Amino acid sequence: MNTLRLTIKNKVGWIQFHRPEVRNAVNGKMMVELEQQLEMWKNDDNIRVLVLAGDEKAFVSGGDLTELHTLATAEEVYPVMSRMGQVLEKLHHWGKPTIAAVEGTAVGGGCEIVASCDFRLASAQASFGFIQSRLGITSGWGGGSRLLQQIPRDRALFWLMSGERFDAETAMRWGWVTQVFAPEVFKQEVQSFAEKLAQTALPVLRAYLQLSHLSSETDYTDWEARSCARLWESDEHREAVKQFLRRTGQLGGDD
């Protein structure tokens, strides 16, 4: 794996996003590798709990805008949004407990990955932001509809519409983050949390997850992919992306 780092301990599998040079932004290769690893570990009964993590600076900073910026039309970008949406749908229905372990920043598509997990654990220094609206688009990977199911509607709409960033304590107070841990013990606490789940028999874990989906499931993943693809063509989005890439040093001033 070139974009992921993998470890297994006490029936807990860790997938660490590893593209630190772009704050773990998702490119096509990462998308493929994540899907492959989900399929491989899904059928491995020695792994009962999955943890997705980044690093101390970033969980995932969304889609790789340098790569995506080459796509100009809805017809071009929709297959990419739809593909990642399908990967996260597989994650959401993985059949075993999944944990998003967020130490640093999770923004844009990073928050959509977080929303696709069963549990959200955060370091006290973590921060979040559904910043798609500030780029002139909507969520595109199914995370918006999941957020609306996970916290009260007014709070979810505020986060989605405003694009405002929020800290781990706010996310826990609003009912989205399960627990917040001190940075110096974060990984140990996540492993301990996961091991408590891993002690339960796999059929029991699967049954409760199935029950949770039966009580709340409506899939708007494709709607989000089409919405994001449609808005991708807008002048507002193109200008917002250009300014973002300039601020982060990924685009020259004359481009």
Side-chain angles (χ1 to χ4, degrees):
M1 293 289 174
N2 294 323
T3 68
L4 306 174
R5 289 183 171 178
L6 311 173
T7 56
I8 302 172
K9 181 181 178 181
N10 296 336
K11 299 186 183 298
V12 178
W14 285 69
I15 295 178
Q16 180 188 2
F17 301 108
H18 186 65
R19 298 187 70 221
E21 70 281 2
V22 288
R23 292 172 290 180
N24 300 328
V26 177
N27 64 356
K29 188 169 186 60
M30 181 182 281
M31 198 182 302
V32 170
E33 291 186 348
L34 177 59
E35 185 173 34
Q36 290 174 343
Q37 200 58 44
L38 289 174
E39 286 298 316
M40 189 178 304
W41 279 0
K42 179 179 181 178
N43 299 315
D44 186 346
D45 289 349
N46 292 315
I47 297 174
R48 294 190 182 180
V49 179
L50 174 67
V51 177
L52 298 182
D55 53 47
E56 293 180 357
K57 293 184 178 180
F59 176 76
V60 169
S61 61
D64 188 331
L65 289 178
T66 303
E67 183 175 284
L68 289 171
H69 197 49
T70 63
L71 307 174
T73 68
E75 289 74 17
E76 289 174 326
V77 78
Y78 168 73
V80 179
M81 295 299 164
S82 179
R83 173 71 186 282
M84 188 59 182
Q86 291 168 13
V87 173
L88 293 190
E89 186 68 6
K90 290 179 180 179
L91 173 64
H92 190 53
H93 290 278
W94 198 58
K96 293 181 277 190
T98 57
I99 298 170
V102 184
E103 281 188 272
T105 300
V107 294
C111 277
E112 299 199 57
I113 296 173
V114 174
S116 301
C117 292
D118 299 309
F119 301 94
R120 287 161 285 280
L121 306 180
S123 163
Q125 67 185 11
S127 62
F128 304 85
F130 286 86
I131 63 170
Q132 292 92 331
S133 62
R134 296 191 176 186
L135 295 174
I137 55 175
T138 64
S139 52
W141 299 345
S145 56
R146 292 191 182 108
L147 182 69
L148 283 160
Q149 294 171 356
Q150 291 164 352
I151 65 174
R153 177 178 178 273
D154 58 339
R155 293 177 175 180
L157 285 174
F158 178 76
W159 279 350
L160 293 169
M161 291 175 173
S162 70
E164 185 172 283
R165 299 192 185 210
F166 47 97
D167 59 25
E169 290 293 339
T170 300
M172 186 170 71
R173 189 171 66 251
W174 281 25
W176 199 49
V177 161
T178 311
Q179 283 186 253
V180 176
F181 299 115
E184 60 270 18
V185 295
F186 180 69
K187 287 187 175 67
Q188 300 95 299
E189 292 289 357
V190 171
Q191 180 68 27
S192 176
F193 184 100
E195 287 181 8
K196 290 175 184 177
L197 297 172
Q199 293 171 6
T200 302
L202 192 52
V204 175
L205 295 174
R206 293 190 190 280
Y208 274 124
L209 286 170
Q210 184 179 14
L211 177 63
S212 71
H213 289 307
L214 286 172
S215 63
S216 63
E217 212 42 51
T218 303
D219 181 15
Y220 291 106
T221 304
D222 187 67
W223 185 94
E224 289 193 44
R226 292 188 183 280
S227 172
C228 184
R230 184 177 66 253
L231 292 169
W232 198 269
E233 296 181 340
S234 69
D235 293 339
E236 291 83 358
H237 171 62
R238 291 174 181 170
E239 183 59 29
V241 169
K242 193 176 294 184
Q243 293 303 321
F244 175 85
L245 293 174
R246 281 184 181 143
R247 287 196 306 272
T248 57
Q250 300 177 65
L251 187 69
D254 296 329
D255 291 323

